[in-house]
Amino acid sequence: MASSTRLSQPPAFSKALLYPLARDPFPKITSLPLRFNRQLPRHSLSLRAVISQNPAKTSSLQTNQFEHCFSKSSDGFLQCENVKVQDIMESVERRPFYLYSKPQITRNVEAYKDALQGLNSIIGYAIKANNNLKILEHLRSLGCGAVLVSGNELRLALRAGFDPTKCIFNGNGKLLDDLVLAAQEGVFVNIDSEFDLENIVAASRIAGKKVNVLLRINPDVDPQVHAYVATGNKNSKFGIRNEKLQWFLDAVKAHPDELKLVGAHCHLGSTITKVDIFRDAAVLMVNYIDEIRAQGFEVDYLNIGGGLGIDYYHSGAVLPKPMNLIDTVSISSFKQFCAVRELVLSRNLNLIIEPGRSLIANTCCLVNRVTGVKTNGTKNFVVIDGSMAELIRPSLYDAYQHIELVSPPPPNAEVSTFDVVGPVCESADFLGKERELPTPAKGAGLVVHDAGAYCMSMASTYNLKMRPPEYWVEEDGSVAKIRHSETFEDHMRFFDGL
């Protein structure tokens, strides 16, 4: 295949740049992604290899932020950034795949940047949501930091070029070797427990470097979400009990050569749709910071975590956006309560936020093909080639993700209620239940929307369903492969030489 190289200017931002780009804003290219051009007629779509580029900001980023990048064209075809998904399906390998919009990722970051204007802040992307290297390089080029919950996520963030001083290492069971790496690189580390503090002290001594730490305080705020993704209530395994705060302050004081306490952190959970929950937590956390400062600590950072939800139902519900998170939380019956913005400014704090889902979920869908339609007499099923192995959220959390066909159905297609299921040998293998759809033809395309977060990153090889490839639509309408598919041969390599 022919290859070409295109260079572009780094992103240009119209607002004051309060979040400078990480060092070396141009990602190192280690592979040549595949892409095709949407201007070609459908019958002549071809794949070509080019080096990926940094996007230039376009005027479209200034409006319609956080809107969905997938839409139906006038002729009934599903499009991603005006590229027909059907055309993409016909031009890539025939298996389930993840399809992203690179411009939508940029728009989502811009929405957070607009909300944070006037504040000293770090947008720390939660790598656990999606760990694709090309996506991480793009987020880094836009000025994001990284939030890590394992040593390998830290290694990946460094490989993607993130500035270590804009990285935060979370987790309730961080390992000593990983903490040593964090200490060597100078990332922020959250103290989550007594033994965690001991390990961080040990890591500091091994690395020969003082560690900047934050106390992860459990504020005991109910995020009103699924129990599996609630992390800020008193029954959670995460964080220190607020009544133990003094013990931890004394322990930090006892290790001045190893630890420098620079902030406080909390994380309430995921899929949160009520900004007053963030407000309540922010007020509590600022009060804790006042207590900590009163004991002589120079605490400069407030980390309020992430967890902002999205409209998985595509119901048109008015859900909070980043601007609401930072500003609208001023609504309160208590005059001393104010917006996160005013709380941060009043204490001269640097604000850290940790978005994952709200940056990446709505940028992607899982594209599948219909294997067939069947009934058991009481239920109708659409069987597809994708499964819980590629996308486990519905099976794991009973989560809803919107499903629709890629192309308009035949005029005589009967509309029925279906469970959309995969071929994995589990009754839990479903992508959606009780969905009203036109009866699809064999081989028809079907997508599961809002699949950018906690889908590919949680994929498995159960039933030897090898993990799928990933593509994205770029700013110019071309399509690039951003992750190779896994194969049976990849699986067999684990046994070479044994």
Side-chain angles (χ1 to χ4, degrees):
M1 290 183 294
S3 63
S4 60
T5 303
R6 295 186 293 173
L7 300 177
S8 66
Q9 297 298 317
F13 302 123
S14 59
K15 303 290 181 67
L17 198 59
L18 296 175
Y19 351 76
L21 293 178
R23 295 172 295 185
D24 182 18
F26 297 96
K28 295 179 176 65
I29 303 301
T30 56
S31 62
L32 297 178
L34 296 171
R35 66 176 73 198
F36 68 82
N37 192 303
R38 75 176 175 194
Q39 281 76 29
L40 295 173
R42 190 169 148 189
H43 65 271
S44 63
L45 290 175
S46 61
L47 292 168
R48 58 192 178 93
V50 302
I51 295 178
S52 63
Q53 59 179 357
N54 286 329
K57 180 180 176 183
T58 64
S59 60
S60 65
L61 303 185
Q62 301 171 12
T63 60
N64 297 324
Q65 290 177 338
F66 258 61
E67 298 302 322
H68 213 277
C69 52
F70 291 91
S71 61
K72 282 288 183 69
S73 61
S74 59
D75 57 1
F77 284 87
L78 184 68
Q79 299 181 119
C80 177
E81 302 291 349
N82 298 317
V83 181
K84 286 185 178 180
V85 176
Q86 183 68 46
D87 291 351
I88 300 173
M89 290 179 66
E90 294 174 2
S91 304
V92 300
E93 54 190 303
R94 190 178 179 86
R95 61 185 297 175
F97 63 92
Y98 280 98
L99 178 64
Y100 298 81
S101 160
K102 187 178 181 184
Q104 185 66 44
I105 297 172
T106 304
R107 290 192 289 266
N108 289 351
V109 173
E110 289 294 299
Y112 270 101
K113 286 186 173 183
D114 287 345
L116 291 165
Q117 287 296 321
L119 298 177
N120 294 319
S121 60
I122 296 174
I123 302 172
Y125 168 69
I127 288 181
K128 64 178 181 174
N130 188 307
N131 54 32
N132 182 287
L133 177 62
K134 307 308 293 182
I135 291 173
L136 296 182
E137 289 175 340
H138 181 53
L139 290 168
R140 185 266 298 159
S141 77
L142 296 173
C144 291
V147 176
L148 326 158
V149 292
S150 74
N152 281 338
E153 286 190 353
L154 171 54
R155 293 175 184 91
L156 182 62
L158 296 174
R159 186 73 62 88
F162 283 95
D163 181 348
T165 65
K166 295 171 68 176
C167 294
I168 305 96
F169 191 11
N170 293 337
N172 69 307
K174 299 183 284 292
L175 301 179
L176 180 59
D177 288 348
D178 298 334
L179 287 169
V180 171
L181 176 61
Q184 291 170 339
E185 295 294 336
V187 308
F188 293 107
V189 180
N190 274 323
I191 298 175
D192 189 87
S193 65
E194 293 88 343
F195 70 78
D196 198 36
L197 185 147
E198 293 175 0
N199 287 337
I200 297 168
V201 169
S204 169
R205 292 170 178 168
I206 294 170
K209 289 189 176 181
K210 184 182 291 190
V211 181
N212 290 325
V213 296
L214 295 86
L215 289 175
R216 178 166 182 171
I217 300 173
N218 187 325
D220 194 16
V221 172
D222 180 8
Q224 302 176 37
V225 297
H226 192 289
Y228 289 2
V229 294
T231 59
N233 54 43
K234 64 181 179 181
N235 295 320
S236 172
K237 71 176 184 177
F238 298 100
I240 67 174
R241 291 177 291 158
N242 47 44
E243 62 266 27
K244 290 267 299 187
L245 176 60
Q246 188 60 52
W247 185 94
F248 282 92
L249 294 178
D250 291 340
V252 172
K253 289 176 184 176
H255 297 93
D257 296 329
E258 294 86 9
L259 306 177
K260 180 180 180 182
L261 181 60
V262 298
H265 170 267
C266 72
H267 184 77
L268 305 177
S270 194
T271 68
I272 298 172
T273 58
K274 298 180 180 179
V275 291
D276 59 342
I277 293 170
F278 289 101
R279 176 205 65 203
D280 295 344
V283 170
L284 289 172
M285 295 303 296
V286 167
N287 287 336
Y288 289 130
I289 286 176
D290 289 343
E291 292 181 29
I292 295 168
R293 282 178 167 177
Q295 297 195 33
F297 290 98
E298 296 179 1
V299 174
D300 297 321
Y301 290 89
L302 170 62
N303 185 336
I304 61 171
L308 198 62
I310 67 165
D311 182 14
Y312 277 111
Y313 284 85
H314 289 207
S315 63
V318 179
L319 297 179
K321 297 183 180 183
M323 192 69 75
N324 306 123
L325 172 63
I326 302 302
D327 286 337
T328 312
V329 292
S330 59
I331 300 172
S332 173
S333 58
F334 299 97
K335 291 184 179 179
Q336 68 268 30
F337 286 6
C338 55
V340 169
R341 179 182 300 279
E342 279 67 44
L343 286 169
V344 170
L345 290 173
S346 69
R347 303 312 199 275
N348 194 29
L349 290 166
N350 302 292
L351 181 65
I352 301 174
I353 57 173
E354 301 179 344
R357 184 187 316 274
S358 58
L359 280 184
I360 197 69
N362 73 342
T363 70
C364 174
C365 68
L366 176 65
V367 184
N368 312 269
R369 284 181 172 83
V370 173
T371 304
V373 176
K374 64 178 291 187
T375 181
N376 63 9
T378 58
K379 262 187 175 294
N380 301 318
F381 300 92
V382 173
V383 183
I384 60 175
D385 55 357
S387 70
M388 66 183 289
E390 290 87 4
L391 195 156
I392 199 173
R393 289 188 71 255
S395 301
L396 183 62
Y397 303 121
D398 198 25
Y400 180 98
Q401 291 183 231
H402 188 63
I403 291 174
E404 66 178 317
L405 299 178
V406 165
S407 304
N412 59 349
E414 180 180 356
V415 176
S416 296
T417 300
F418 296 95
D419 284 5
V420 179
V421 301
V424 163
C425 192
E426 293 281 348
S427 294
D429 179 26
F430 63 91
L431 284 302
K433 290 186 174 181
E434 302 292 320
R435 303 301 177 88
E436 191 172 276
L437 295 167
T439 302
K442 183 177 180 179
L446 177 148
V447 301
V448 182
H449 280 289
D450 303 308
Y454 305 103
C455 293
M456 183 59 175
S457 66
M458 299 176 77
S460 74
T461 58
Y462 186 46
N463 284 196
L464 279 186
K465 290 270 292 169
M466 311 314 292
R467 280 175 287 217
E470 295 179 289
Y471 302 85
W472 65 17
V473 176
E474 301 215 47
E475 291 79 6
D476 62 358
S478 59
V479 173
K481 177 183 276 190
I482 58 173
R483 178 177 171 137
H484 296 297
S485 58
E486 293 182 5
T487 66
F488 177 74
E489 288 70 29
D490 293 326
H491 177 72
M492 294 307 298
R493 288 190 189 99
F494 290 114
F495 309 98
D496 285 350
L498 299 180

